[in-house]
């Protein structure tokens, strides 16, 4: 049944949903947000981004609402136990991209979603109203007081005033979205501190002396390299960042902590080369 459902999901789930479907990737969300912010600032426009916090997203959905949506889409009663993404609202205009590009108003990802549009009080109020109606219908409540409003091309006072109207928190760039820092100058070493912190936090959990060389290699490949590659998929890292992270991995690999340096028995270029190149 899951395989049959997979054949039609792409046609019934909005293009704004950036993951969970074949051909869609979690990184699309932060990438689109970054590009939109750059375009708005370059063209001296005004806009807002409302980062929404849902209350216990997976626990409060009204199943009658889900079944109703499935039925309206055209699924027979047999399939009405399966979940789908909620409805759109014409009251939200979103941001019109240039050169006949798409109109982007929201980027949902489970309970971490962003709604955006041109800076207009009425549109922001409409979003809040739609979320309230959505809660009444679905049981999925928005934590407005824990949501964050960001403004582009407007002053701090405007952002604070609009946040007071909505009842959310005023906030400022950069911010984190889906684990990545959005709207930060990634050419600066300091903005890579979250990756450094991830490495240090994970390495602090392990006692490398108690692991075999094979165990340390597995941890490096499955955890440390995959965590950093998530950032590298969107941003080009400065040489120093690469060098620092490699240094931490080397120290861990050869039996020391991430801070203590011990003798490296094999050249790093050989250690990091693909298996097919081993001799």
């Amino acid at each position: 049944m899951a395989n049959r459902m997979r054949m039609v999901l792409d046609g019934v789930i909005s293009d704004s949903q950036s993951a969970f479907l074949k051909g869609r990737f979690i990184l699309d969300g932060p990438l689109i947000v970054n590009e939109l912010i750059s375009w708005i600032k370059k063209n001296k426009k005004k806009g807002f981004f409302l980062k929404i916090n849902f209350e216990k997203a997976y626990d409060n959905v009204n199943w009658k609402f889900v079944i109703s949506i499935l039925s309206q889409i055209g699924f027979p009663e047999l399939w009405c136990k399966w979940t789908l993404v909620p409805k759109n609202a014409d009251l939200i205009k979103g941001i019109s991209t240039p050169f006949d590009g798409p109109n982007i108003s929201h980027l949902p990802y489970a309970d971490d979603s962003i709604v955006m549009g041109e800076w207009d009080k009425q549109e922001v109020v409409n979003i809040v109203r739609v979320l309230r109606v959505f809660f009444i219908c679905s049981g999925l409540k928005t934590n407005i007081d824990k949501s964050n409003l960001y403004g582009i091309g407007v002053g701090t006072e405007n952002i604070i005033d609009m946040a007071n109207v909505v009842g959310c928190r005023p906030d400022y760039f950069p911010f984190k979205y889906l684990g990545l820092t959005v709207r930060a100058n990634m050419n600066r070493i300091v903005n890579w501190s979250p990756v450094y912190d991830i490495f240090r936090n994970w390495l602090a959990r392990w006692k490398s002396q108690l692991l075999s060389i094979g165990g340390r290699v597995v941890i490096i490949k499955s955890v440390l390299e995959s965590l950093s590659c998530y950032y590298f998929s969107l941003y080009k890292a400065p040489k120093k960042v690469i060098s620092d992270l490699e240094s931490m991995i080397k120290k861990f690999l050869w039996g020391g902590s991430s801070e203590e340096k011990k003798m490296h028995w094999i050249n790093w270029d050989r250690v990091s080369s693909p298996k097919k190149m081993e001799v």
Side-chain angles (χ1 to χ4, degrees):
M1 292 179 70
N3 290 333
R4 292 171 63 188
M5 175 69 85
R6 189 180 298 119
M7 297 172 63
V8 300
L9 285 180
D10 188 61
V12 297
I13 294 182
S14 168
D15 291 337
S16 60
Q17 175 67 42
S18 64
F20 300 121
L21 294 175
K22 185 178 180 180
R24 305 189 192 184
F25 305 98
I26 186 174
L27 286 168
D28 290 346
L31 175 63
I32 291 172
V33 172
N34 267 319
E35 293 297 318
L36 283 174
I37 292 172
S38 297
W39 179 76
I40 292 172
K41 295 192 72 173
K42 182 179 179 181
N43 289 272
K44 297 182 179 180
K45 293 179 177 290
K46 299 178 181 180
F48 71 88
F49 287 75
L50 179 61
K51 194 166 180 286
I52 299 171
N53 181 288
F54 284 104
E55 181 181 279
K56 297 181 180 178
Y58 295 106
D59 300 331
N60 298 325
V61 176
N62 186 314
W63 286 104
K64 290 183 180 180
F65 168 78
V66 175
I67 293 173
S68 174
I69 292 295
L70 288 169
S71 299
Q72 293 178 53
I73 291 175
F75 282 84
E77 184 177 354
L78 179 63
W79 292 97
C80 287
K81 297 179 181 179
W82 297 88
T83 59
L84 279 178
V85 74
K87 62 204 177 224
N88 291 323
D90 295 334
L91 295 174
I92 304 172
K93 299 176 184 178
I95 297 174
S96 299
T97 55
F99 308 111
D100 295 322
N103 187 283
I104 303 175
S105 61
H106 59 292
L107 294 171
Y109 183 87
D111 61 344
D112 197 355
S113 302
I114 290 182
V115 182
M116 63 206 73
E118 295 185 4
W119 189 263
D120 180 77
K121 180 180 178 180
Q122 188 59 54
E123 182 154 355
V124 177
V125 170
N126 286 341
I127 290 172
V128 177
R129 289 173 176 169
V130 169
L131 290 172
R132 286 174 181 165
V133 173
F134 178 61
F135 163 59
I136 294 171
C137 296
S138 69
L140 191 59
K141 185 178 180 180
T142 304
N143 286 323
I144 288 292
D145 58 328
K146 294 183 180 179
S147 300
N148 302 76
L149 180 70
Y150 304 85
I152 305 174
V154 295
T156 301
E157 291 184 0
N158 297 103
I159 298 174
I160 295 173
D161 290 342
M162 187 76 83
N164 289 334
V165 171
V166 175
C168 65
R169 298 183 296 197
D171 208 348
Y172 312 95
F173 299 109
F175 65 85
K176 272 200 168 185
Y177 179 55
L178 303 183
L180 291 174
T181 304
V182 174
R183 196 53 191 172
N185 183 359
M186 300 309 289
N187 291 322
R188 299 183 61 191
I189 306 297
V190 67
N191 288 328
W192 286 87
S193 58
V195 182
Y196 284 80
D197 292 340
I198 289 172
F199 266 56
R200 293 190 184 99
N201 292 338
W202 276 99
L203 290 174
R205 301 181 185 183
W206 300 308
K207 296 293 184 182
S208 58
Q209 294 87 347
L210 304 180
L211 296 171
S212 66
I213 186 71
R216 294 196 291 270
V217 169
V218 169
I219 289 174
I220 289 170
K221 288 183 176 181
S222 61
V223 179
L224 299 181
E225 289 185 349
S226 62
L227 289 171
S228 56
C229 281
Y230 184 59
Y231 260 81
F232 297 157
S233 298
L234 189 60
Y235 299 119
K236 182 179 180 180
K239 289 183 179 180
K240 178 169 174 50
V241 171
I242 301 294
S243 176
D244 290 344
L245 296 180
E246 281 189 349
S247 177
M248 295 170 71
I249 290 175
K250 292 175 187 177
K251 292 173 182 176
F252 176 75
L253 175 64
W254 296 116
S257 67
S258 61
E259 305 297 333
E260 182 182 359
K261 186 176 181 179
K262 289 191 175 181
M263 181 175 288
H264 299 178
W265 293 101
I266 302 176
N267 185 278
W268 180 249
D269 290 337
R270 185 175 178 185
V271 173
S272 58
S273 62
K275 288 185 177 180
K276 64 181 180 180
M277 297 180 63
E278 292 181 356
V279 293

